[in-house]
Amino acid sequence: MSDHVSPVGLYITIFLALMVGTALTVGAAFVNLGVFNFPVAMLIAVVKASLVIWFFMHVKYQSHLTKLAIATGLFFLCILIGETLIDYVSKDNFNFYTAPAPIEQSSIIPK
């Protein structure tokens, strides 16, 4: 295990960056970006997760084998998510640009 000690200033800087990322996430939730709402939110989430993994989990200071193990896990996670999205998009009733119609109350509860 590495005996690397990170300065406190680095942790404060990363914490502030995560707080800015949280503020951006909240701000993006109130702005209608159309079909770009999801990609923008995911981009912010990936940047924040990368900061946590890279600095708070000390991956930056680990061996290349540890970095390879993390990259391999993320690669297979992307494959699994991609296959799930392929299955979801291939359904007949999928429409990416419109939300599903709300269910009428009268059709759920009989009179």
Side-chain angles (χ1 to χ4, degrees):
M1 181 161 193
S2 177
D3 292 334
H4 180 80
V5 177
S6 298
V8 175
L10 176 67
Y11 287 118
I12 293 172
T13 303
I14 299 302
F15 173 75
L16 292 175
L18 291 171
M19 291 298 105
V20 168
T22 301
L24 284 173
T25 303
V26 171
F30 289 104
V31 176
N32 186 8
L33 300 173
V35 296
F36 295 109
N37 279 338
F38 181 72
V40 167
M42 288 306 295
L43 177 68
I44 296 170
V46 165
V47 169
K48 287 170 53 178
S50 299
L51 286 174
V52 169
I53 292 169
W54 197 247
F55 290 102
F56 287 135
M57 295 176 68
H58 301 281
V59 171
K60 180 179 180 181
Y61 310 109
Q62 295 299 319
S63 68
H64 293 292
L65 186 59
T66 304
K67 293 176 185 176
L68 178 64
I70 292 171
T72 303
L74 291 174
F75 175 72
F76 282 106
L77 176 67
C78 289
I79 289 175
L80 290 173
I81 290 173
E83 288 178 354
T84 302
L85 289 176
I86 287 171
D87 179 53
Y88 184 71
V89 171
S90 67
K91 301 294 181 189
D92 291 337
N93 59 356
F94 178 75
N95 189 351
F96 188 73
Y97 298 105
T98 59
I103 299 173
E104 293 182 21
Q105 193 69 16
S106 61
S107 65
I108 298 174
I109 302 171
K111 293 182 180 180

